[in-house]
Amino acid sequence: MEGNSIIAPLSRVATADSRELDRVCEEVAVSLRAAGTEPPYQLTSANFASDPFLICADRYWRLRFLDRPTVRTAAECARWLQAHGPGREDTIGQTHYTEIEEKWALGYAFITRDSEESPAEIADACGDIVGSADTAYFAALYHAGKLRANFRFDELHGFLESSLLALAAGPHRDGPLFTALRAFAACGSRRLTAEHAADLLDHAWFSPQRTPHTVDICLNALAAAAPFPAQGELLRDRAREAATQWPENHIFVFRLATGLHMCQEHDAALEAVDLALALLPAMGSRGSHKQLQEQYLARRELILEGRLRAAETASHRRRWEEQNATYRKVEAQLNAATSHLITMITVFLAAIAFILSTIQLTYGGDLPLGDRMRLILGEGAVMLGFSGLLILGTHLLLRYRERPEPPKSGPD
């Protein structure tokens, strides 16, 4: 058969040479596309790094989607995968099949996100798709992936909840990936409650059947969500969990950098985004290297800018604290000097008042000497008590003014 002759180079290519492997797979995929022939072989793995047959099939369907980025093409791809994908009779085969299915549906959606189909076009295509839940699921993932890539939260919510194509996915709707997409829509929407979004997100995140793509969408949902308390901390912690489980996944490391940046942990965020950039090239063209690299570099610039602002803010705060401490010291000295001065003035005025008031008693009047002395002593005691109260009140007032202000809380 013509298809078998076209794919012959795949059996001879050296898988250790990544450049040669990439070149041969691309050439075979282009030849199959030109001949109008789908890849005529069975897939046996989900190894996108060194399986020439999987890489070739991936390139072939990439060309098909770039040529016709529609749910009809997604349905055709789903049917081919159902017929030629890894066997699903055991756990390993099912895992490989699911990995390819999710990677293709969401990956092809990302690279064709600029060609969104209208609800009318989706409805028109449903007649050829909804007969199979597996086919409808793949096509629904593809269109939902476009809406997700374009951050069309409310449109994504409407599509997942009411579109005939999404409803035709049947039991797949209860799976963690579908739930993660619903959570993404809810997190970004201003029409849905935060509680509803959090519930969907937790169901997807803690599902025993979650896949790396489920985790990716959950982290993407947290990063793109409408702002809520402790958003950065939640994204940071969950991204760190994902990056620990899949340390070679550059997207998870990038999400960790985003979470750290939101928490203003700039040094750690810079280290994480640099690691994400270092991991990115190993993914090749399949991962849309250029688009992701631009996204990572843009985040890196934001981290550097935030790091610089944080350093400037810290410097300003230190100077302000030093100036405030100096001001408080001078204020305390002035208050102490004022207290002493007021004490002296009070005593001086009291003494004058006492002298003036006792002159009349001393040199005038007909009172006996004993009575005069008692009046003078009584008046002196009153003056002394009044002066003491005045001095004590002044001291307490100035002491209250010297109390330091409580430190202000809030971000630097």
Side-chain angles (χ1 to χ4, degrees), residues 236-258:
R236 177 198 61 196
D237 295 343
R238 292 198 171 178
R240 180 175 285 129
E241 177 187 335
T244 301
Q245 185 173 356
W246 293 282
E248 299 300 319
N249 191 306
H250 61 91
I251 294 179
F252 296 164
V253 177
F254 172 70
R255 299 296 182 204
L256 174 58
T258 303

Side-chain angles (χ1 to χ4, degrees), residues 37-97:
T37 303
E38 294 181 350
Y41 51 76
Q42 204 76 20
L43 299 178
T44 59
S45 79
N47 188 344
F48 284 89
S50 60
D51 184 346
F53 294 95
L54 177 58
I55 297 173
C56 179
D58 180 47
R59 299 298 178 84
Y60 169 82
W61 284 108
R62 178 188 177 94
L63 293 172
R64 289 281 299 272
F65 275 98
L66 289 174
D67 183 44
R68 289 187 60 216
T70 65
V71 293
R72 293 182 187 274
T73 303
E76 294 172 4
C77 180
R79 295 188 188 104
W80 182 91
L81 183 59
Q82 292 161 21
H84 299 86
R88 305 165 71 180
E89 296 81 11
D90 53 38
T91 303
I92 296 178
Q94 180 62 53
T95 301
H96 289 169
Y97 185 94

Side-chain angles (χ1 to χ4, degrees), residues 98-178:
T98 301
E99 168 66 15
I100 297 171
E101 179 183 49
E102 295 180 354
K103 196 176 190 73
W104 279 4
L106 298 174
Y108 298 141
F110 180 75
I111 63 175
T112 60
R113 64 190 183 279
D114 58 344
S115 57
E116 241 177 65
E117 293 175 90
S118 67
E121 290 173 317
I122 297 293
D124 183 61
C126 281
D128 301 327
I129 301 174
V130 297
S132 166
D134 289 347
T135 303
Y137 175 61
F138 187 98
L141 286 183
Y142 172 69
H143 184 68
K146 286 184 179 181
L147 297 175
R148 170 212 173 194
N150 292 328
F151 300 98
R152 304 283 294 276
F153 301 106
D154 291 321
E155 291 84 348
L156 177 59
H157 171 73
F159 170 75
L160 294 174
E161 299 299 328
S162 60
S163 169
L164 178 60
L165 181 60
L167 294 175
H172 296 290
R173 292 174 55 82
D174 296 326
L177 185 64
F178 205 94

Side-chain angles (χ1 to χ4, degrees), residues 301-321:
E301 289 298 319
L302 291 175
I303 292 171
L304 288 173
E305 182 180 348
R307 190 166 176 258
L308 179 61
R309 285 203 308 269
E312 292 176 347
T313 301
S315 177
H316 293 327
R317 179 173 290 277
R318 283 194 301 271
R319 286 199 297 271
W320 179 86
E321 289 175 348

